[in-house]
Amino acid sequence: MKQQLLILIFCFVSASLHAFSQQSMYDFDIKHWSSTDGLSSNSVRAITQDNQGYIWLGTLYGLNRFDGNQFEHFTTKTQQNLASNNITRLFKDSKGYIWVGTKTGLSGVEPSNLQFEHYKITAEVTSIIEISPDEIWLAADYLYRVKNGQTSRVEKIREQVNQLQKVGDKVWVTSTHWLYSYDLNEDTLISYALPLELVQIPIYDLYWENEHLYLASESGFFSLDPSGHISKCELPDKTNTAVYKLLQDSYGNNWISANRKLFHQHADQDWQYITGDELGNSPWFSDIYEDKQKNIWLASFSDGIYRSSIGNINRVLPEGADRIIRSVAVTPQNTLLLAGQLELGELFVNGDYKALLNTEQLGVGTVYDMHWPTENELWLATSKGVYAHQRGTKTLTKVFESLENSLVRVLEPDQQDGIWIGGVMGLYHYQNNKLAPFALMDQLETRHITALQQQQDLVVLGTIRGLYQYKNNRLTRLGTDTALFNSYITAVLVLADNSLLVSTLDDGVFIRQAKGTWFQLHDGNGLPHSPVVSMIEDSVNGIVWLSSLKGIFRLKLQPFSATKSDKLGPVLAIDEVLGPYDRQLGTIPGRCCNGAGHDKVALWQQRYWYPTLKGVVSVAADLNKQKHNQLQPVIKKVLGQQIYPLNYKQPSLLLKLDDRSVSLHYAALEFVKPNALEFRYQLQGFESSWHEVGSRREAIYTNLPPGRFVFRLQSRFDNQPWSQDATTELELIVPKRFDETLVYRGLWLLLFLFCLYGVLWLLRRNAINKQQQLGQLVKQRTQELENSNIKLNELNEQMALLTYKDNLTGLRNRHFMFEQLPKDIEHFQRNRESMQIQGKGMALLQLDLDNFKHINDQYGNIAGDSCMQQVAWLLIRETRGSDYVVRFSANEFVLVLRDIHVDLVEQFCHQLNEQISRTAFVLPDGNKTYLTCSIGYALYPLPLLGGQLISWEISLQLAEISLYHVKHSGKNGVASIEFDQQVDAFEFEDSLHIEAQVERLLAVGLARFTLYKSE
C-alpha cells in the first residue's frame, strides 16, 4: 500500500515546477467542510467509509455520518451505547461493521441499521486492527481482543500499549519502552528496545514496507531494519518534526502528514509541499483516508475535513512568473507566451520559464492580444496602444503614434498579409506600412470593437452594442430580431460550415445555423455558466471549447442544421470539464479563466491553455472526460409520528396504523460535486407525475389513503438527463384503520337506516307542521339578515376601492401599493425556489412623464388631465393581468410586474418607453400631442450574493435612482443599475443611505448604469 514511499523520502529533492506534462499538487480538486457546514467539531480525528458509501468522521464532539451535503450527528445524548463523544479511532472490519474507539472506551455501529453497541473497555482507544473476521485487537492502555462479541485481555503483553499493525501472521505492538513482534501462529513474542527519543513519547502510526517497519511519532520518523535496529529518518524537507499519518493512494501518490505540514508526491516525481497558502489554512492532519471513489480525505486537528481528488485540469505556476496571467499565445519558436499583469514571459516545452519583460520594461498596462508579424517581432495590443518587442531586447516601441493611449483589444491577421486592429478607438486596417480607418466605420452604432475573426472574405466583428459582418464591401448588422441586437460581444467563432458562434456578456451564446436562423443558448436551456469569454474549435474531434469566469465546457459540433431540434432549439451535447463548484489547491471556487481581449485561450502541445488569476491552466485536447460515478440515491429515513430508520437494502416499510402524514429524507452519496445534484421523486399509486425539486432533500406527503405505494427517487447532476439507472425505490404500506373497513361502513349504514326510520315516524306527527312553519320563519329572517350583511359588505368593498383608487386615472394609488406589495413579496418568498428555477422574479418600474408641466401650461389643466388618463389607459393595456399600475405622484407612475421572467424586464421597459413616445395623445380640442417618459427599474430579489435578503424598499429606491439617472442624462430613456458579481447583499443593510452606497460602488467600478435612450 505504501510502495516506494520511504525510499523516496531519503532521496528527496525540494519541490519545483517541472514540465506541464507532469502532475502537480495544484491539479487536485479540493473541497473543505467545517463546523459552519454542520460538522459537529472542527477537530476531526478519524475517517472511514461504510459499504453503502457514507463517510464516517470521528470528532472531538461526536460521531458524524456524511453524504456529501449533510452531516448526521451521533452523540451520547442520542446513542446511549456510544462510550464517549471524543472519538479517537474508526475502523471498518471485513464484515462492514464499524468499530468506534473513544477517549473512554469502545463502541461499535452497524451502518445498515445504525444500531450501536458498547463493549466493556473504559480506557482511551488508540489503535484497532482485525486479526480474523470474528476477532479484532485494540490498544486501550492495555492490549485487548474482542472475539464474537466477548472482550478479554491479551495476556502475552502485560503493559500499556499504544499502536498496532498486522503484517501477515505477525502483529507489531508499541508500548512506552518497547516494540513487540508477536507471531500468531507460533505464539512467540520478540521485543525491541525503543531509542530514548521514543521512550514515553506518543506513537501515531505504524506501517510496514520492504522488510522495514516505520514508526510515526511526536519525535519524528523512525524505522526498524531487518537487523532489529531502530534509527531516525529525515522528512523530505530535512526536518524531524512530528509525523502523524502516511498513505500511498491507488494512483501511486504518496502523502505524509507532519506537524503543520503536508507532503505530497506524484508517482516518480519530486516531493511538493502543501502549505497554508495552497490550502487556505495551516495543514495539520490527524488522519488520511482514500475512499472507494479514490477521493483522498484529510482530517484536520483544528479545521474540519478536506476532500481531494484528481481533476481534469493541470495548473502551472512558473517559478518567478507573474501569477496574474491575462493573455496566452503560441510563438513561432513553439513556446507559450504568457502576458501577465506585470510581466511578459514564455514557457518552454520542458517546463522552464523565461521572463522577457519585467514590470518596468512592460509598463503598458494590460495586454489584450499578441501577434507575430515576423518570427522575431512581437506586437502587443495593450490598454495604451500597440507596441512592438524584438526578441533578445528588453524594450518596447510604439507601432502607431495615432493609437497612443488607446485601448486596443484586437490584432487579427487578414487573408492578404494585412492586420485588423480594433479597440475603443474603432476598427483600423494595416497593410503595406499604412494604417487606415475602416471605411464603413460610420455605420457602426459604436466604435468600441471587442472581437473579430476573418475567414476567407468574411469578417465578423463584435462591439459593445451588437454584431456585424463585413463581406463584399458591405457591412451588415446581425441578429436584429434577437437579443443579440444590442448585446456586448465577448468572442466570435466562424466554423468551417459557415455556422457562427457568438458569446455575449449578459445574453449567453448565440448560434447561427447554416440556414441563417439563430439559436440562443442561455442559463435556462443548458448553458452551464456565463459569461463565455473564449471559444476555440477542435475540428479534428468536432468540438468547440468554451470558457467563462467560472469554468470550461465543450460543445459537440454535430452540424447544427442536422441537429435534432425541439421547441427551444437544437439539442446540444454539452460536456462540463471544469465547473463553478470545482476548486483546485490554491484557488477559490468559481474563478477559472480571467483572460483579457482576444488571447484568452491557446492550443499548445496538444493542450488548451487558459489564463487565470493564479498562473495558467491546461486541458488535454483529446480529453476523454471521465464520467461521474453512477449516482445512486438513498432514502435515509422516514419521519411520521415516529422515526423509521431504514436499512439501505430494505425493500418496503410498514407504517403505523394512524401514520398518514410522512416526510422522507433522502440523499445521493456524492462528494466531488454535491452542490450540483438535483432530485426528483414520485409516489406511484398516489400520483402520476414527478416532482422535480432541485437540491431539496425531503419529500412530504399528508393524508395518505390506505394502500401500497412505491416511492421512486432519482438523482442527477445539473445539465445531465434523468436516468432510470439512478433510481431508488421504497414500498410504503399504509394499513387500514377500523373506520376504513367494510364492517365499520356497514355499521354506519345501519345507523343511517335507523335514523331515517325515526325521521319518517316523526313526520307522521302533527307537531312537525308547526315546527316546519317556525323553521321557515326563522329561515326568512335569517335570509333577510344575510342579505343586509351582503349589501353592507358590498358597500365596504366599494369604500375600499375608493380608498385604493386614484380619482383622476382610475389606477391604484400609493396606499394600495404599500399595502399590497408586502403581500406580493411574501408570496414570492414562499415560492422562491420554484420561481428562481423558472428564472422568474418581480420588477419595480418608476415611470415619469418628461416635461409634463408644459402640457398644463400650454393647453390647460383639463388637457393635462386628459393626457394623464390616456397614459393610464396605455399602461394598463401594456401590462398583464397579474401586474398593477400605481399613480405614485402627479405625473409619476409605479408598475409592479409580478412573476415575470427577469430576462424580459429590460425588453418590456424599452418597448413601453418607445410605445409612449410613438403614441399621439388627443386633447379635448381635437389637437394631438406627443409625450416622452423616463423609466428606472430594479428587480426583486436583486441578482447579488444573498440578494433575497434585501427588502423591496431597496429595490424601489434603486429604481428611483435609475429614474433620476435617466432624467440627468437627457430624459426619454430607460436605466437600471448592474452590480458586479462580488457585490454582497449586506452592502445595502443601511437602507437610509442607499444613494451614498450606490455612489461608492459606482466610483470603485463595482456598479454601473445601463442606459437605453430612445431615438
Side-chain angles (χ1 to χ4, degrees), residues 88-89 101-106 120-129 136-146 151-164 171-177 180:
T88 57
R89 284 289 181 270
T102 74
K103 193 75 174 178
T104 59
L106 177 69
K120 295 179 180 180
I121 294 175
T122 58
E124 179 181 359
V125 177
T126 57
S127 184
I128 307 173
I129 62 173
I136 68 159
W137 285 16
L138 62 147
D141 277 354
Y142 297 100
L143 184 58
Y144 292 89
R145 68 160 54 93
V146 179
T151 304
S152 61
R153 284 272 299 272
V154 179
E155 300 296 340
K156 201 69 177 179
I157 301 176
R158 304 180 64 84
E159 60 176 307
Q160 290 185 344
V161 299
N162 46 43
Q163 287 299 324
L164 309 173
V171 177
W172 293 90
V173 184
T174 61
S175 68
T176 55
H177 291 79
Y180 296 99

Side-chain angles (χ1 to χ4, degrees), residues 846-850 889 891-893 932-935 963 967:
Q846 286 211 18
L847 184 149
D848 186 79
L849 298 177
D850 298 329
S889 62
N891 56 340
E892 186 174 347
F893 302 85
T932 64
C933 69
S934 299
I935 301 175
L963 173 63
K967 290 292 188 181

